[in-house]
Amino acid sequence: MVGKQIPQAWAVLIGCSLSGLALAADDRRLTPANSGAASLAAPRVALVIGNSNYAQPLKNPVTDARAMAALLEELGFVVLRRENLSRPLMEGAIREFGDRLRAGASVGLFYYAGHGLQVDGENYLVPLGEDLTREDEVKFHTVNASLVLAKMESARSGTNIVILDACRNNPFRSYWRSLQEGLATMTAPVGTLISYATAPGKVAGDGSGDHGVFTSHLLREMRVPGTPIELVFKKVRQGVVAETAGKQVPWEATSLQGDFFFTAKPDAIPSIAAPMSPPAPSGMVKIRGHRNILDFWLDTMEVSVSAYQECVASGACSQAGTASYCNSNRAGRNSHPINCVSFQDAKSYCTYQKKRLPTEQEWMLAGAGAEQRPFPWGTEPPGNQLCWNRTDQQGTCPVGSFIAGNSPDGVRDLAGNVWEWVLNTCDEGRVPGPSGCSGSTEFPIARGGAFVDQKVGGVGIAAREATLGGQTRWGSVGFRCARDAELSPETREASERTSLSATPFRPSLVRIPAVHNKNGVPSSGVLLVGATEVTQGQYKRLMNFNPSEQFVDAEGSSRPCRTRGVGDDLPVFCVGFIDALRYANALSRMEGFSPCYDEQSSGMWGTIANCSGYRIPSEIEWASAATAGHTVKYAGSDSLNEVAWWKGNAHGKVHPVGTKKPNAVGLYDMTGNVYEWTVDPADGNPRSGLTPGSRIVRGGSFFTGETAQRLSARADHPILEISTGVGFRIVRSNP
């Protein structure tokens, strides 16, 4: 700690000065707030806390906080107002504030009114309900002011403002032996202004009017149009000094790099109509994307009984189960997570909220992070961080009760309390063993463990349940919702640059500049086509099994696939038509696109209009990509051996993808290796010899002769059967 001046000493911060905070001379380049109304066009977020109801109550902090919150809202801030907070709630509010800043705010403002203390050279805010009579325990019962500064620094907001009206008389003076007034220095991020109601080491009274002296002057000066922030606080100081006859002198320290105005100049006010970034959704936190997962918003808490009941009252949701163990049927459980809701109930609620369930990959990223933590809170084994059977729970706990179990992003209850439905179904990722699928029904996946679990492996990131029927209402299963995040221009640009590269889960993508629709007319969009057929390694990493090693049929029975080669770089085969659609949907969800196939439609899967995700090509798309505008016999050449693995050179097995010459646009194996599924039904085509209940396959395979390899050749395959000679490639529309 830099600049500790009173080692092993205690000092009361009476008056707003928690410390004479020193501002770091940091060489990072941060964007300063612009002058005038231009600064109003950027997101501005404030956290306002007023603590009055101590054992010896303070008169003005709550009224000061309410007035400050109202003014800040009037000035265009998104305001989080909190009153009379306990320590856990106070820490939670600061974390939420940090999350809002990280979501893209250009200005962060923190206002605190209440008691503040300096302990052993560090500064602390005093919550309600804590015993501070033992001076050696005080810092364990308060909130370190550095937490606010840390949240601001990590968010890299362009402008940070900290206003500390923590300057009341110390009610604990009689209990402490080593009381010594004095201030420690702290480091704060560059681009910060810190204001105190009085000078370091001095006392500011609570005030006899409706507001404290400092805040009353501040509220007035912040309203004056066109006043730079430095001049605002100078005028506040002049007013307070005059009113108190010099007994109270407000103080500030600043390292702001640009001009900032609370209220724009009159001639600049019309500019506030400029588009603003959307505010953070209430009760959600933004999870930063990683690898193939884009940024998304996730509910901080599991959906509560009271929130779900609002949906029921609106008619958009079905009533939850009414068994004795169902929270909606038990008194005093409104703040507990809703349970006894089916997968469909959860989807309906999220739709009602204009959200969706998170994908399994999103849930895992929120819980494990990019660093792959075993538990949401880190590596420490589970104990009192969650609601589970080892804490003698007889049922669920109120949502968000276990702050120690928070993820670094502030998401609560990802381990324990209730299992949480995710969008993926068990059939998308069939896993052998006790957590695998049973039967042909689609089994939605639930993650995270519940209050009934008592084994370490039953809670946390690895906990996965895939044997729950989606229509059943389970007493240990609830959910939370997610929604897509607006991408920043930088994120969108980076995503575009990397979107064509291969990933562990799919091939690289090739842009096809002119795709023709069924009428032969060029479409206005661009088609992204897999450069190769999907490989066994890619399929296995995404779907958790390799059908080319062991195929699991529609009834859940496994039987060996006749081996024609097993290896990560070989094309996947023995993959049915529905398996190809499931892979496309799972890949879409992983990369943040909307799935193209309706997994809930009866019978055969339906196609979702206007989807943005991956799909299986139509026959006309496949043919257009294969020919690439050239008149050749095979895809890329008139020489078969140059471009294809076929009966004449394959020796009865598949070969690694991409080892033959590509066609004119860089697509490999459009001829030979394995046939490729298209979505076109064979029975809807006038050509003869195509079996009803089949889909057209194109391209020939390793075991077919020369005629079948020609670009003019067509075949069909029953959708409910598998073959060692049939695989697939993916496409995605890119308007």
Side-chain angles (χ1 to χ4, degrees):
M1 191 71 190
V2 178
K4 285 188 180 180
Q5 299 178 2
I6 312 172
Q8 303 302 322
W10 298 71
V12 181
L13 298 179
I14 354 184
C16 259
S17 94
L18 279 192
S19 72
L21 295 175
L23 301 165
D26 190 322
D27 63 358
R28 287 180 297 129
R29 296 190 61 184
L30 300 179
T31 304
N34 295 323
S35 63
S39 67
L40 293 179
R44 314 206 296 183
V45 179
L47 172 61
V48 177
I49 297 177
N51 283 346
S52 287
N53 294 347
Y54 297 101
Q56 299 177 27
L58 295 174
K59 177 183 177 182
N60 285 324
V62 166
T63 57
D64 287 350
R66 290 175 181 175
M68 181 59 67
L71 176 58
L72 290 171
E73 287 178 346
E74 181 182 327
L75 298 179
F77 281 79
V78 176
V79 179
L80 308 173
R81 193 190 82 196
R82 302 291 186 267
E83 299 174 3
N84 295 318
L85 298 182
S86 64
R87 183 169 57 88
L89 292 178
M90 202 165 171
E91 290 172 342
I94 294 171
R95 289 193 183 98
E96 183 180 358
F97 175 55
D99 295 337
R100 298 291 184 97
L101 297 182
R102 287 180 58 201
S106 65
V107 178
L109 185 149
F110 176 76
Y111 174 92
Y112 173 76
H115 279 304
L117 305 172
Q118 183 189 142
V119 179
D120 193 21
E122 294 194 45
N123 302 305
Y124 295 86
L125 310 179
V126 180
L128 300 190
E130 298 289 339
D131 180 4
L132 302 184
T133 58
R134 295 175 176 84
E135 56 184 292
D136 58 348
E137 297 179 4
V138 170
K139 59 186 175 182
F140 302 107
H141 295 277
T142 52
V143 176
N144 196 317
S146 297
L147 179 60
V148 176
L149 300 175
K151 294 298 182 182
M152 288 177 162
E153 185 168 23
S154 65
R156 294 178 176 267
S157 303
T159 299
N160 299 309
I161 303 163
V162 179
I163 303 171
L164 301 171
D165 193 354
C167 313
R168 275 71 182 178
N169 288 313
N170 177 23
F172 314 108
R173 180 183 297 266
S174 61
Y175 296 103
W176 299 356
R177 293 175 300 172
S178 55
L179 176 66
Q180 182 178 352
E181 295 182 353
L183 299 173
T185 56
M186 296 173 63
T187 48
V190 67
T192 302
L193 182 145
I194 303 173
S195 171
Y196 315 97
T198 192
K202 301 298 181 180
V203 177
D206 195 27
S208 58
D210 292 335
H211 300 295
V213 177
F214 170 77
T215 295
S216 65
H217 283 270
L218 181 58
L219 292 170
R220 181 171 61 249
E221 297 299 336
M222 286 171 62
R223 295 179 183 274
V224 179
T227 306
I229 188 171
E230 294 87 352
L231 185 54
V232 167
F233 285 103
K234 182 177 181 180
K235 288 180 174 293
V236 169
R237 180 162 51 254
Q238 292 171 345
V240 172
V241 169
E243 183 174 337
T244 63
K247 294 179 181 179
Q248 182 175 338
V249 182
W251 200 269
E252 64 270 352
T254 178
S255 67
L256 292 179
Q257 294 182 305
D259 295 333
F260 176 84
F261 302 86
F262 284 110
T263 306
K265 297 178 182 179
D267 59 357
I269 288 177
S271 297
I272 64 175
M276 296 180 65
S277 299
S282 177
M284 303 189 85
V285 62
K286 192 174 188 179
I287 306 298
R288 300 291 182 180
H290 181 62
R291 293 183 178 172
N292 303 304
I293 305 174
L294 299 179
D295 294 358
F296 63 97
W297 293 100
L298 186 67
D299 283 348
T300 307
M301 313 279 194
E302 293 164 332
V303 174
S304 68
V305 171
S306 60
Y308 188 83
Q309 293 297 76
E310 289 179 9
C311 183
V312 173
S314 74
C317 292
S318 300
Q319 180 63 51
T322 57
S324 60
Y325 50 79
C326 297
N327 285 338
S328 62
N329 196 38
R330 301 178 68 180
R333 293 271 173 155
N334 281 343
S335 63
H336 285 239
I338 188 69
N339 61 351
C340 300
V341 285
S342 69
F343 178 66
Q344 287 303 319
D345 293 334
K347 289 179 69 176
S348 296
Y349 174 87
C350 291
T351 300
Y352 165 74
Q353 293 287 345
K354 296 184 175 161
K355 302 176 185 177
R356 57 174 173 79
L357 287 174
T359 67
E360 185 171 21
Q361 292 80 15
E362 288 173 339
W363 190 97
M364 291 177 67
L365 177 61
E371 66 272 29
Q372 296 294 300
R373 302 181 298 270
F375 302 101
W377 55 85
T379 59
E380 183 182 351
N384 294 323
Q385 306 97 329
L386 69 159
C387 181
W388 66 323
N389 194 256
R390 286 197 184 180
T391 51
D392 298 324
Q393 295 301 324
Q394 301 302 312
T396 58
C397 305
V399 297
S401 298
F402 293 82
I403 296 177
N406 285 8
S407 75
D409 290 307
V411 184
R412 303 189 181 186
D413 298 325
L414 284 167
N417 219 6
V418 288
W419 290 91
E420 298 180 11
W421 292 120
V422 296
L423 262 180
N424 302 67
T425 63
C426 183
D427 287 347
E428 286 180 334
R430 283 168 283 193
V431 179
S435 294
C437 295
S438 58
S440 60
T441 305
E442 288 184 348
F443 285 86
I445 293 168
R447 300 300 302 246
F451 67 92
V452 296
D453 296 292
Q454 59 180 340
K455 294 182 179 179
V456 171
V459 294
I461 307 308
R464 183 178 192 265
E465 180 57 70
T467 60
L468 305 173
Q471 299 303 318
T472 304
R473 290 168 170 160
W474 301 89
S476 58
V477 182
F479 66 98
R480 74 179 75 224
C481 302
R483 62 171 258 195
D484 298 334
E486 289 292 326
L487 298 182
S488 66
E490 295 79 8
T491 302
R492 195 176 297 278
E493 181 181 353
S495 177
E496 179 66 18
R497 286 198 305 268
T498 61
S499 64
L500 303 184
S501 303
T503 77
F505 308 98
R506 64 157 170 83
S508 60
L509 303 175
V510 174
R511 294 178 183 273
I512 306 300
V515 180
H516 294 73
N517 64 25
K518 289 190 175 183
N519 297 319
V521 179
S523 68
S524 59
V526 171
L527 191 70
L528 302 180
V529 184
T532 68
E533 294 150 339
V534 174
T535 67
Q536 294 176 26
Q538 291 159 352
Y539 191 96
K540 184 174 183 177
R541 291 183 199 104
L542 183 62
M543 307 303 289
N544 298 317
F545 83 112
N546 181 3
S548 306
E549 288 183 286
Q550 187 177 60
F551 178 77
V552 182
D553 61 25
E555 283 70 42
S557 302
S558 62
R559 58 186 176 84
C561 182
R562 184 179 179 186
T563 181
R564 296 292 186 172
V566 175
D568 281 357
D569 58 349
L570 300 178
V572 66
F573 55 86
C574 283
V575 59
F577 180 70
I578 301 299
D579 291 312
L581 302 189
R582 288 187 177 119
Y583 169 92
N585 269 6
L587 182 61
S588 297
R589 293 193 182 102
M590 169 174 281
E591 296 195 9
F593 300 107
S594 60
C596 286
Y597 303 108
D598 180 7
E599 304 168 29
Q600 304 303 321
S601 61
S602 58
M604 213 44 57
W605 285 19
T607 302
I608 300 173
N610 301 317
C611 66
S612 62
Y614 292 94
R615 53 189 176 81
I616 308 306
S618 67
E619 186 178 18
I620 197 73
E621 287 173 332
W622 188 96
S624 179
T627 60
H630 291 68
T631 304
V632 288
K633 187 179 293 186
Y634 315 107
S637 177
D638 286 326
S639 169
L640 184 56
N641 285 328
E642 193 175 33
V643 295
W645 295 106
W646 64 292
K647 185 177 181 179
N649 64 9
H651 306 293
K653 62 182 181 180
V654 295
H655 289 261
V657 300
T659 53
K660 290 291 186 178
K661 177 184 174 182
N663 73 356
V665 293
L667 301 177
Y668 295 86
D669 301 314
M670 296 292 286
T671 296
N673 227 0
V674 291
Y675 275 107
E676 298 176 14
W677 287 109
T678 74
V679 295
D680 287 37
D683 54 357
N685 196 293
R687 292 176 181 265
S688 60
L690 298 176
T691 308
S694 299
R695 290 294 189 271
I696 293 171
V697 293
R698 297 294 299 265
S701 76
F702 67 91
F703 63 74
T704 54
E706 184 275 334
T707 302
Q709 311 298 326
R710 297 179 183 180
L711 287 177
S712 59
R714 304 168 72 245
D716 70 291
H717 195 74
I719 59 175
L720 297 180
E721 295 183 12
I722 63 168
S723 170
T724 55
V726 178
F728 67 101
R729 82 176 62 222
I730 52 170
V731 300
R732 179 166 65 82
S733 297
N734 189 35

